[in-house]
Amino acid sequence: MSRSLPTPTPRRRTALLAACALLMAGAGTATALSPVASAAAPAAARVDNPYAGAKGYVNPEWSAKAAAEPGGSKVADQPTGVWLDRIAAINGVNGGMGLRDHLDEALRQKGDGELVVQLVIYNLPGRDCSALASNGELGPTEIDKYKTQYIDPIAAILADSKYASLRIVTTVEIDSLPNLVTNVSGRPTATPQCDTMKANGNYIKGVGYALNKLGAVPNVYNYVDAGHHGWIGWDDNLGPSAEMFKQAATAEGSTLGKVHGFITNTANYSALKEEHFSVDDAVNGVSVRQSKWVDWNRYVDEQSFAQAFRDKLVSVGFDPGVGMLIDTSRNGWGGTARPTAPGARTSVDTYVEGGRIDRRIHVGNWCNQAGAGLGERPKAAPAPGIDAYVWMKPPGESDGASKEIPNDEGKGFDRMCDPSYTGNARNGYQMSGALPNAPLSGQWFSAQFQELLKNAHPAL
Ligand code: BGC
């Protein structure tokens, strides 16, 4: 992290100042003292980087599926995200583990050390408004149900003192807020569903409510989803997204202080580092930003984006101590197709095409990408500003079905998961690049897991 300051860290300093201010405001009055104690305690309990010096919780259900695959035991001991993707997930779907089961198991795995549990909060009304594969159970207007039947029960469980020794990371609502910037009227990529969610405010309210409630639990660390470089890396999207996150983080009683950090690339495939070209390169005097692949983006890979976006977020008012997570579960792009040298300097296109690590057909492709591999193993504090590389998307779980499959989860059929689809405005009308025969999003997809193992980078 970019935290070169000696103690207290920026975040702690803020908390201490707040506590001092409260103390001074309440000086001499007995009644003011108890709020001081309870206001100061939560902040003091949090560490700057919850991943530092901690093990990660291994989800036994994912681990068993991974271990049952040929070669899967090499990664079955890795920590992955626990997705609370519907109300029923709180108690466990179809006899599976519920939230308390996971936290009890986490306490067991923790022993005497420190342990991070990674939860994904993922059930907004009108979920996944620019796609269909992960539409959810709540309709666009069901914000009250989201609050009372989803967030409140989760917050109540997390606040159980039994779990106070765990470091609980909550990644909040994947793929929601950036949609309100990029996929609304005025943009060629607009969808009616995203217009609806912008107009009714229920993404903003839901995220604000979740941050406020979950962030009130002293050992919870909220990380807001921040898309990925191939989504909000363009100038038109970056600043407005930061402002949108600020709006959500201050909605429904939440404050910027309830945000511990942000996560990028969740369940996506953007390469961590393009090793053979940089955004500052030019060929024959033409910037790589003009290549078809980069298409004027300001960032060509995830880590440079995450670090720069962190600075942007701080500049709009987030705590200077916010840390970034990068989901590296499926952005390895190893195997035989991985370029080992820059492309030919004939044109910016030959240069970028020949050298790029990210082998997708288009940076807007997101469903079960052919050729992808496991990325960097989960790791704490890998680079300045980055709290951790994480595997938030459990490798081997599908992004969406390649054909229509009836289900009771609200999931739709998105043709971006169909390998024969020729695309839409959001992927420049390119082929989807998806693997065939995929099951519903979230379900085990053995062929994809095998591909991820084969193309892992670093290799297994
Ligand atoms: C699905 C969720 C699932 C998650 C993790 C999402 O795409 O919609 O149901 O839990 O992926 O695999």
Side-chain angles (χ1 to χ4, degrees), residues 83 85 122 127 134 393-394 397-399 411 441-442:
W83 288 61
D85 66 347
Y122 191 56
R127 192 176 72 188
S134 283
K393 174 77 181 182
E397 293 187 11
S398 173
D399 297 315
K411 297 205 167 131
S441 62

Side-chain angles (χ1 to χ4, degrees), residues 33-57:
L33 284 174
S34 54
V36 169
S38 58
R46 284 194 190 99
V47 295
D48 178 45
N49 180 355
Y51 289 84
K55 290 187 291 190
Y57 171 63

Side-chain angles (χ1 to χ4, degrees), residues 32-383:
L33 284 174
S34 54
V36 169
S38 58
R46 284 194 190 99
V47 295
D48 178 45
N49 180 355
Y51 289 84
K55 290 187 291 190
Y57 171 63
V58 180
N59 178 348
E61 294 185 323
W62 175 81
S63 181
K65 286 181 206 151
E69 290 278 343
S73 56
K74 288 191 180 145
V75 294
D77 61 349
Q78 293 293 341
T80 53
V82 173
W83 288 61
L84 299 171
D85 66 347
R86 64 198 92 170
I87 290 166
I90 300 170
N91 290 322
V93 175
N94 296 330
M97 292 172 80
L99 181 53
R100 281 189 181 276
D101 300 321
H102 284 295
L103 298 176
D104 290 340
E105 170 62 12
L107 284 175
R108 201 192 61 75
Q109 289 182 20
K110 176 181 174 298
D112 294 332
E114 298 292 347
L115 181 132
V116 180
V117 190
Q118 306 174 107
L119 304 178
V120 182
I121 303 299
Y122 191 56
N123 199 31
L124 274 181
R127 192 176 72 188
D128 206 15
C129 66
S130 68
L132 302 167
S134 283
N135 288 164
E137 64 185 355
L138 299 182
T141 60
E142 294 191 281
I143 185 70
D144 291 339
K145 197 164 174 189
Y146 177 79
K147 291 178 178 176
T148 59
Q149 294 184 40
Y150 180 70
I151 295 298
D152 290 353
I154 293 173
I157 293 170
L158 300 187
D160 186 334
S161 58
K162 186 179 170 190
Y163 304 125
S165 64
L166 298 170
R167 297 178 180 176
I168 302 171
V169 160
T170 47
T171 56
V172 177
E173 295 297 354
I174 310 310
D175 288 358
S176 57
L177 301 174
N179 272 312
L180 304 183
V181 175
T182 68
N183 294 324
V184 291
S185 287
R187 300 289 188 114
T189 50
T191 70
Q193 292 83 355
C194 291
D195 273 342
T196 299
M197 298 321 299
K198 183 162 188 190
N200 70 19
N202 286 342
Y203 277 8
I204 296 281
K205 287 180 207 157
V207 170
Y209 190 84
L211 292 174
N212 193 36
K213 283 278 165 157
L214 303 172
V217 182
N219 54 319
V220 166
Y221 298 79
N222 281 323
Y223 288 81
V224 177
D225 183 69
H228 62 105
H229 88 278
W231 187 357
I232 60 173
W234 283 270
D235 294 346
D236 288 357
N237 302 343
L238 196 84
S241 294
E243 292 295 343
M244 186 69 76
F245 297 167
K246 184 176 172 181
Q247 193 189 334
T250 50
E252 298 283 316
S254 179
T255 57
L256 298 184
K258 290 260 166 77
V259 176
H260 201 80
F262 294 82
I263 180 165
T264 80
N265 204 40
T266 306
N268 207 275
Y269 297 87
S270 293
L272 188 65
K273 294 174 197 165
E274 286 295 352
E275 295 168 8
H276 306 308
F277 72 99
S278 107
V279 72
D280 298 321
D281 292 351
V283 174
N284 304 328
V286 182
S287 163
V288 298
R289 293 185 63 220
Q290 297 187 50
S291 65
K292 259 172 74 180
W293 172 255
V294 179
D295 192 20
W296 295 105
N297 200 324
R298 192 67 69 182
Y299 303 94
V300 300
D301 57 23
E302 210 50 28
Q303 184 150 300
S304 65
F305 162 74
Q307 290 173 324
F309 194 44
R310 196 188 92 80
D311 292 343
K312 181 82 198 172
L313 290 157
V314 171
S315 80
V316 304
F318 283 97
D319 190 300
V322 288
M324 308 300 282
L325 305 177
I326 302 177
D327 186 352
T328 56
S329 56
R330 308 181 302 177
N331 69 350
W333 299 106
T336 52
R338 184 181 178 92
T340 53
R345 286 187 161 267
T346 318
S347 69
V348 275
D349 283 321
T350 56
Y351 178 64
V352 170
E353 287 306 304
R356 65 179 165 92
I357 302 288
D358 184 337
R359 301 312 299 172
R360 279 179 295 183
I361 296 168
H362 188 275
V363 78
N365 284 353
W366 52 266
C367 197
N368 301 324
Q369 292 298 287
L374 301 170
E376 289 282 342
R377 309 301 103 83
K379 189 178 178 192

